[in-house]
């Protein structure tokens, strides 16, 4: 995948560069080009295959730096 529109409140802000499933995290991940002034919070969506899917912006790395999930 790549090139999918990233929207917030219905406005196209940027596009996806890559996506995949993060097996260690147990969730899907998407990398995208967005304007530098984008703020984290609700309202983000990714348009793929003619449908919109909810998304959220991460402000921290998407991994478990302390290894707590492995010890659970």
């Amino acid at each position: 995948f790549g090139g999918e529109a990233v929207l917030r409140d219905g406005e196209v802000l940027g596009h996806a560069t890559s996506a995949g499933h993060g097996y260690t995290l147990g969730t899907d991940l998407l990398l995208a080009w967005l304007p530098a002034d984008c703020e984290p919070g609700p309202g983000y969506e990714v348009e793929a295959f003619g449908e919109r899917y909810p998304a959220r912006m991460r402000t921290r790395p998407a991994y478990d730096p302390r290894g707590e999930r492995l010890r659970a």
Side-chain angles (χ1 to χ4, degrees):
F1 306 101
E4 291 84 359
V6 177
L7 306 95
R8 186 168 197 194
D9 299 326
E11 179 185 349
V12 176
L13 297 178
H15 66 277
T17 59
S18 60
H21 185 73
Y23 291 95
T24 302
L25 299 169
T27 189
D28 296 322
L29 300 168
L30 178 126
L31 300 177
W33 284 107
L34 296 173
D37 61 350
C38 285
E39 296 287 332
Y44 287 96
E45 297 177 298
V46 176
E47 188 171 275
F49 307 108
E51 294 192 37
R52 291 185 181 179
Y53 299 91
R56 68 182 176 118
M57 180 192 295
R58 289 188 175 267
T59 58
R60 301 181 54 112
Y63 72 98
D64 181 14
R66 295 183 184 158
E68 293 173 354
R69 285 183 52 103
L70 293 174
R71 294 185 196 106

